Amino acid sequence: MLFAWPAAQRAIAPCWPRHWDVIEELSMLYCAWRTAYLWQERSGHHACEYLDRWPPGALDRLAVRLRPCAEAHQPDGARRDDAELVDRSIAELRRLGPDTLAPGGGAGPCSAVTVCRACAGPCRPP
């Protein structure tokens, strides 16, 4: 796509690999393309839907996102670390009781989830 579509060449700045949100957008587009063209249960309408729906929206978002980099790469801001805020929020929910974490009573899956300090992602305690 990056080479075949003139609109993609205009929208996607050379610094795109330095922007995680752009990588995510292009990854989504690749997954949609694989589904449309390589999925075992695909049909003709999958390719039509892909071409009509996914690239135009993705290219619009990428053009907006990468507009600041038109002259030269503009680095993203510092990465946020919300681990402490999330830890405090989970502690408060636990203090309020299990009904807060899982409607209908019981602990539910959320009560066992904490935020990993290394990656700020969800982790399950051992």
Side-chain angles (χ1 to χ4, degrees), residues 1-125:
M1 167 168 183
L2 296 177
F3 304 107
W5 290 46
Q9 294 176 16
R10 287 189 300 274
I12 302 172
C15 63
W16 69 266
R18 297 182 186 164
H19 299 281
W20 285 106
D21 52 342
V22 173
I23 293 169
E24 183 74 18
E25 186 80 41
L26 290 172
S27 297
M28 178 279 307
L29 200 57
Y30 176 68
C31 289
W33 178 87
R34 285 186 56 90
T35 301
Y37 291 98
L38 303 177
W39 181 38
Q40 189 173 6
E41 297 179 32
R42 73 189 178 280
S43 66
H45 82 275
H46 288 106
C48 292
E49 180 183 359
Y50 169 80
L51 290 172
D52 187 52
R53 183 174 183 185
W54 299 113
L59 291 177
D60 288 347
R61 288 186 296 275
L62 291 171
V64 169
R65 172 60 183 91
L66 292 172
R67 191 172 293 139
C69 298
E71 297 297 320
H73 169 66
Q74 300 297 314
D76 295 334
R79 211 166 163 194
R80 288 177 20 178
D81 181 4
D82 292 336
E84 185 178 332
L85 173 65
V86 172
D87 284 346
R88 285 194 321 256
S89 298
I90 290 173
E92 179 66 12
L93 288 171
R94 285 192 176 131
R95 187 187 69 74
L96 293 172
D99 290 340
T100 306
L101 295 173
C110 296
S111 64
V113 176
T114 60
V115 174
C116 175
R117 295 212 177 269
C119 69
C123 295
R124 300 223 179 258

